[in-house]
Amino acid sequence: MAQDTYKHKGLRKQLVNLIRSKGIQDEAVLEAIETVPRHLFMDSSFIAFAYEDKPFPIGSGQTISQPYTVAFQTELLEVKKGDKILEIGTGSGYQACILMEMGGRVYTIERQKNLYLKTKNLLPGLGYKPKLFSYGDGYKGMPNEAPFDKILVTAGAPTLPDDLIDQLKPGGIIVIPVGSGIQNMKRIIKTDEINYIEEDHGTFRFVPLLTRKAND
Ligand code: SAH
C-alpha cells in the first residue's frame, strides 16, 4: 500500500491552513482533515495533486470533493462523537473517513458498483470501518437503518427528498446540495417529528445524484 510520509503530513498542514483561511472554524473538522491521508484515496498517478484544494476525478465520471467543500459540509453537520450518520454518495470514501475520524458511526451508500467495490476494498487497509457500506440508490435513504442523527448528501439532488427528512431524528441535521447544474447548499434542522427549518449556505457545484439505474 502507498505510504503516508512526513512530506504528506506537511502538505496536509498547509491544506488545513488554507481551509482555515477560507473560513472553516470547527477545530474537530480541521483536525480530521489534517489526519486523514487524502492521497491514499486517489489513484497513485494523481497523488501529487492530493493536497491542492481542488476536486479530482476518481473514475466512473465521479470526483472526490474539494477539501474545502468536504470541510464546509462537515462543519454544517455539527458532528458529535457517536452520531449515527448516513452519507449518500460514498465515492472514494474520503468524506466517510473524515466523519469516522470525528467519531461518527457511519452508514454510507454508493450507486456505482465499480466505485463501491474499489472503496470497499480500500477502507479496511486504512483502518476505517463504516457501520454499514451498501451498494444501491441512496436517494431514498436507508429506511432499514433509520432514524439517523445526521444525513449528508455528497451529490447534487434535484429536490429535497421527503424520505430523507422522514429518516432524521428530531433535532437532527441534513446537509444537502439542491439544484441542477449549480446547487444551493441546504441545511435542514428537524425541530420535532414533523417540522423542520431550512437554511441556505451558498452555491456549490456537485456531480448530480443519479436517480435512474446507473450503467453498471
Ligand atoms: N463523498 C465522496 C464524493 C463523491 S461524488 C468522496 O468523498 O469521495 C458523489 C458520489 O455520489 C459519486 O460516487 C456517485 O457515484 C454517488 N452517487 C450518485 N448518485 C447516487 C445515489 N442515488 N445513491 C448513492 N450514491 C450516489
Side-chain angles (χ1 to χ4, degrees):
M1 195 183 75
Q3 297 212 328
D4 191 28
T5 64
Y6 280 108
K7 182 173 171 214
H8 294 121
K9 292 189 172 99
L11 291 171
R12 279 206 293 286
K13 257 197 188 7
Q14 288 176 21
L15 177 63
V16 164
N17 288 339
L18 180 65
I19 289 174
R20 196 194 294 274
S21 76
K22 290 183 175 181
I24 302 298
Q25 295 179 340
D26 184 333
E27 288 300 326
V29 172
L30 294 166
E31 210 177 301
I33 301 265
E34 191 165 335
T35 306
V36 179
R38 187 173 188 255
H39 65 284
L40 298 182
F41 296 79
M42 294 166 54
D43 291 338
S44 53
S45 46
F46 302 130
I47 278 182
F49 302 100
Y51 296 108
E52 292 185 13
D53 190 22
K54 290 181 183 157
F56 213 81
I58 52 172
S60 312
Q62 302 305 323
T63 55
I64 179 170
S65 302
Q66 180 179 351
Y68 171 74
T69 306
V70 170
F72 190 84
Q73 286 199 291
T74 310
E75 184 168 69
L76 284 179
L77 210 57
E78 296 182 3
V79 177
K80 311 263 181 310
K81 276 200 175 68
D83 271 356
K84 182 175 175 186
I85 307 175
L86 171 62
E87 180 200 26
I88 297 165
T90 319
S92 68
Y94 176 70
Q95 170 76 73
C97 291
I98 293 285
L99 298 172
M100 287 184 266
E101 190 62 45
M102 295 177 72
R105 294 181 291 135
V106 174
Y107 297 68
T108 184
I109 180 163
E110 171 56 49
R111 184 71 191 85
Q112 302 216 50
K113 191 148 208 180
N114 45 359
L115 269 178
Y116 165 75
L117 293 172
K118 192 171 160 187
T119 300
K120 191 151 180 91
N121 205 19
L122 175 79
L123 295 189
L126 298 179
Y128 291 104
K129 204 169 178 309
K131 287 282 167 201
L132 192 73
F133 184 3
S134 96
Y135 161 61
D137 181 6
Y139 200 69
K140 294 190 172 344
M142 239 189 232
N144 294 341
E145 303 296 334
F148 297 95
D149 296 300
K150 309 282 166 67
I151 299 177
L152 176 60
V153 182
T154 69
T159 56
L160 177 62
D162 286 338
D163 288 325
L164 297 188
I165 297 171
D166 290 344
Q167 291 172 34
L168 193 66
K169 292 183 194 174
I173 296 176
I174 303 180
V175 174
I176 178 170
V178 178
S180 32
I182 286 188
Q183 291 84 33
N184 248 316
M185 189 68 78
K186 301 259 184 206
R187 174 157 73 170
I188 310 301
I189 304 172
K190 205 160 168 182
T191 46
D192 57 37
E193 280 296 346
I194 43 173
N195 295 297
Y196 61 88
I197 50 176
E198 192 175 324
E199 300 169 350
D200 266 329
H201 289 275
T203 52
F204 287 79
R205 194 182 285 271
F206 284 77
V207 294
L209 196 70
L210 306 168
T211 48
R212 56 186 166 73
K213 180 134 182 44
N215 253 342
D216 56 18

